[in-house]
Amino acid sequence: MYSNEEYLLQLLQEAGLLSAKDLATARGMKKPQETLLESLIKSGVVSDEQIAQTVAVNSGMEFMDLHGFVGNPEMKAIVPQEVARRYKVAPLGFSGTTLQLAIPDPYDFETLDALPHVLQPDIEFFCATPALIRGVLSSIYGNEADIAATVIKGAGMGEGAAGANDAPIIKLVTNILMEGFKNRASDIHIEPLEKDVRVRYRIDGVLHDVEHHPKRLLSPIISRIKIMTGSMNIDEKRVPQDGRIQIAFNDKELDLRVSMIPTNHGESVVMRILDKSSLRLGLADLGFLSDDQENFEKMLSLPDGIILVTGPTGSGKTTTLYACLNFINRPDRKIITVEDPVEYQLAGINQVMVKEDVGMTFAAALRSMLRQAPNIIMIGEVRDLETAGIAINAALTGHLVFSTLHTNDAPSAVARLADMGIKPFLIASAVRAIMAQRLVRKLCVDCRTSSTLSEKEMRSLRIDPGQALEANVMAPVGCNRCRRAGFKGRLAIIEILKMQDDVRTMVNQELTTPQIRKRARELGMRTLREDGVRKVLAGMTTAEEVIDATMSDAD
């Protein structure tokens, strides 16, 4: 219960709360499974509150009487349940930006040192009794047994798949997944370090260190995750493995894509959370302003041609493609996708997964798909000349094709296709539009506040001072709903290059990317940075977010 029992017994004697006779009697009556302090409390010699007050006075920490204190359930977003229960601390609230925590043992220096790294650096600790701390934890997180109420589906995913002694590991892994979802994490990282196991959540594109576990738990955690996938080899620890997990949580179906790789300290796991609710997002939810949304929806209604979405890894290209398919998915249209891997399972759409080990490559899948007479085709990524050639041919023979490319901006996609070996006249004929995008963090609407832009920010974004005065510029603050980050969710900033006649002519003439870009801007194309500026002036994000996301667009 306490980290240094002998020292606390000495303190109680010095405070006159415990005599040598009481101590001797307690030693004689103590049961094997009890500590001496627990025996003293049970026999009524001292109380929990007297012990807490004594150690608080001697440590210099303020004592907090938690009788009648009801925890705020919103604190779950700030202090994950696993962290609170592992360290036996109760989140009380905030004083300004300082997180206030109740702790039973002011001499538990390991906890005092760890929590500022796990949660946030600015923490104020109070001393309280263990029993009342447990009561506050129950009011915030519910009973510990509630964790087991989560239903896990799939091969080998029930508790019966492991021995009875494995129940704590089952509960621990389940809780890691639950907390990741509740905190809106896009992926969960379980990483072996030299002396412990670190768990991190990526929230709105930023990794957060949420908890650490003893190194001895690494092997059972990894084994549990492998069992949950139903496809990984538990005994194989030398090569990378991939799998999937399905979870039903709060009536929501979640898919997790699992990647496991051996490192010098053990196997490292990344689990990508694929929340199916994102499939219902409209273009406005993704960050499209009304004029861009109207233009893009017109392109989605075209009968044929290629629409490309470009950007680096992690820029939201796949989510945008799924939103497009969701928009055009109707019973009178046959839609087929070829993906590596299939991230979301879409109702009413035929989805094909690439399996190169058996010859099911992108190109092979595409050739077969065309014999299925689809109206619309989605290709996860145009990677090579063969795939690009088949996509171009499909677009020119009456199919609407969606795909992605890895380029920094929209005009660069033309050069990328040409580099693959596609003839310029085919690019000009087949491509209807190219959209580049980046993701920036969205300001929390519950706590954002009015602000102004600095001269440096206006200079970087080329914002006219008069324009800034009339704008609705906002700044982050931080509240319980956004985990004190000031941001909640992400939105896309976009750049749409429409293949207008002038642009087609330039592509046919094999003019350079800067030349195409310049003409496209003259014809009305907004750059990534210019679209970001609109969203800064609308109070949707910050200048710093846009500057960081569009460093290559600074000209």
Side-chain angles (χ1 to χ4, degrees):
M1 183 169 60
Y2 289 99
S3 57
N4 193 333
E5 187 178 79
E6 289 300 323
Y7 180 62
L8 295 186
L9 291 171
Q10 181 183 336
L11 291 180
L12 292 172
Q13 287 180 294
E14 292 174 356
L17 297 172
L18 181 65
S19 67
K21 181 179 178 182
D22 291 329
L23 191 55
T25 302
R27 290 187 193 277
M29 297 177 61
K30 185 179 81 68
K31 295 180 179 179
Q33 68 271 22
E34 289 179 337
T35 67
L36 198 53
L37 276 171
E38 287 171 338
S39 179
L40 288 166
I41 293 169
K42 187 175 179 180
S43 62
V45 175
V46 292
S47 67
D48 263 344
E49 189 167 332
Q50 287 175 317
I51 295 173
Q53 288 176 333
T54 300
V55 296
V57 168
N58 282 272
S59 67
M61 186 178 290
E62 183 179 344
F63 173 76
M64 178 72 73
D65 184 354
L66 296 179
H67 279 101
F69 183 89
V70 178
N72 182 355
E74 291 186 356
M75 292 304 294
K76 289 187 287 190
I78 310 300
V79 182
Q81 178 175 198
E82 175 59 29
V83 174
R85 294 202 187 278
R86 178 195 172 193
Y87 291 102
K88 299 181 178 63
V89 296
L92 307 177
F94 280 88
S95 176
T97 59
T98 301
L99 175 62
Q100 297 180 319
L101 295 178
I103 185 173
D105 184 2
Y107 295 105
D108 183 359
F109 298 115
E110 181 181 347
T111 293
L112 294 175
D113 290 341
L115 287 175
H117 299 285
V118 173
L119 297 174
Q120 65 175 58
D122 197 4
I123 297 178
E124 182 179 12
F125 290 99
F126 296 88
C127 182
T129 66
L132 293 179
I133 285 177
R134 288 193 294 272
V136 174
L137 291 179
S138 294
S139 69
I140 295 174
Y141 304 100
N143 191 290
E144 286 186 88
D146 292 343
I147 298 173
T150 299
V151 179
I152 300 180
K153 302 192 300 185
M157 295 178 62
E159 289 199 16
N165 293 334
D166 294 332
I169 290 298
I170 292 172
K171 195 173 292 186
L172 171 61
V173 173
T174 301
N175 196 48
I176 289 172
L177 301 183
M178 288 168 52
E179 290 298 322
F181 171 69
K182 288 192 288 187
N183 285 288
R184 302 179 296 103
S186 60
D187 43 65
I188 299 170
H189 298 247
I190 300 177
E191 303 164 320
L193 305 179
E194 184 179 0
K195 296 181 180 179
D196 60 3
V197 180
R198 177 173 64 182
V199 178
R200 295 195 288 177
Y201 297 151
R202 190 183 299 278
I203 303 171
D204 297 334
V206 179
L207 276 171
H208 297 266
D209 195 336
V210 293
E211 57 195 59
H212 288 246
H213 297 287
K215 191 63 178 284
R216 59 184 170 80
L217 294 183
L218 176 63
S219 182
I221 288 173
I222 295 297
S223 295
R224 175 58 185 163
I225 292 171
K226 288 180 177 179
I227 289 171
M228 292 174 74
T229 67
S231 61
M232 289 185 175
N233 185 346
I234 296 177
D235 298 325
E236 181 57 75
K237 300 180 180 181
R238 300 164 299 171
V239 298
Q241 296 190 67
D242 296 297
R244 296 182 78 102
I245 295 172
Q246 286 187 313
I247 293 181
F249 172 59
N250 283 355
D251 298 323
K252 296 190 73 171
E253 292 285 340
L254 295 181
D255 281 339
L256 291 96
R257 195 174 76 203
V258 183
S259 173
M260 200 166 291
I261 189 170
T263 72
N264 58 331
H265 292 304
E267 289 180 280
S268 176
V269 184
V270 176
M271 293 179 282
R272 172 70 58 86
I273 299 177
L274 306 172
D275 182 3
K276 292 184 178 180
S277 64
S278 64
L279 300 181
R280 296 187 291 272
L281 294 177
L283 297 179
D285 300 310
L286 296 177
F288 283 69
L289 296 179
S290 56
D291 54 346
D292 285 329
Q293 180 177 346
E294 183 180 355
N295 287 333
F296 202 66
E297 286 179 353
K298 287 180 181 177
M299 298 173 201
L300 298 181
S301 301
L302 294 171
D304 55 30
I306 296 179
I307 296 176
L308 292 171
V309 181
T310 76
T313 300
S315 59
K317 300 186 297 297
T318 301
T319 300
T320 297
L321 285 184
Y322 279 117
C324 292
L325 292 183
N326 189 54
F327 178 79
I328 61 180
N329 186 14
R330 299 200 310 256
D332 62 336
R333 292 177 171 177
K334 183 176 180 70
I335 302 175
I336 304 181
T337 74
V338 54
E339 306 168 63
D340 182 19
V342 173
E343 293 198 0
Y344 299 95
Q345 296 176 1
L346 301 170
I349 292 178
N350 301 276
Q351 295 173 272
V352 178
M353 182 183 294
V354 170
K355 297 180 180 178
E356 297 200 0
D357 55 334
V358 296
M360 179 64 85
T361 62
F362 270 105
L366 277 170
R367 283 192 293 269
S368 298
M369 284 166 54
L370 292 175
R371 293 193 287 272
Q372 295 281 315
N375 303 104
I376 297 161
I377 296 170
M378 187 193 91
I379 306 168
E381 182 185 348
V382 174
R383 298 181 175 182
D384 52 41
L385 174 59
E386 189 176 13
T387 304
I390 297 172
I392 292 283
N393 182 62
L396 293 175
T397 54
H399 303 85
L400 184 60
V401 180
F402 295 91
S403 191
T404 68
L405 271 179
H406 285 275
T407 64
N408 287 330
D409 59 19
S412 297
V414 174
R416 179 78 181 95
L417 290 173
D419 288 343
M420 288 182 183
I422 301 297
K423 300 296 183 183
F425 76 91
L426 291 175
I427 299 172
S429 301
V431 176
R432 296 288 180 265
I434 304 167
M435 186 181 79
Q437 71 175 56
R438 298 289 189 280
L439 293 178
V440 295
R441 289 186 295 171
K442 184 164 52 176
L443 284 165
C444 175
V445 296
D446 294 303
C447 64
R448 63 183 180 180
T449 186
S450 296
S451 183
T452 57
L453 295 170
S454 67
E455 289 186 11
K456 182 179 179 181
E457 288 172 333
M458 287 192 288
R459 189 166 57 250
S460 295
L461 297 177
R462 298 185 180 180
I463 297 174
D464 181 83
Q467 186 183 15
L469 286 174
E470 298 175 1
N472 184 34
V473 177
M474 308 292 280
V477 177
C479 66
N480 289 348
R481 293 184 183 274
C482 62
R483 293 175 52 94
R484 315 303 294 184
F487 298 90
K488 188 176 181 182
R490 289 191 288 178
L491 57 86
I493 54 175
I494 61 174
E495 170 181 288
I496 301 176
L497 171 64
K498 291 191 287 186
M499 277 294 181
Q500 302 177 68
D501 290 341
D502 284 9
V503 176
R504 286 196 181 94
T505 299
M506 298 178 80
V507 173
N508 271 321
Q509 294 173 349
E510 301 185 41
L511 297 184
T512 65
T513 297
Q515 289 173 309
I516 294 174
R517 182 179 180 82
K518 180 181 178 182
R519 183 56 182 150
R521 293 185 67 179
E522 291 170 353
L523 293 171
M525 183 188 81
R526 271 188 295 269
T527 67
L528 288 163
R529 178 157 286 193
E530 288 166 347
D531 187 56
V533 166
R534 293 205 301 164
K535 287 158 186 174
V536 170
L537 298 180
M540 300 168 72
T541 188
T542 65
E544 183 180 4
E545 284 289 306
V546 172
I547 291 169
D548 288 347
T550 60
M551 291 299 292
S552 61
D553 195 26
D555 62 338

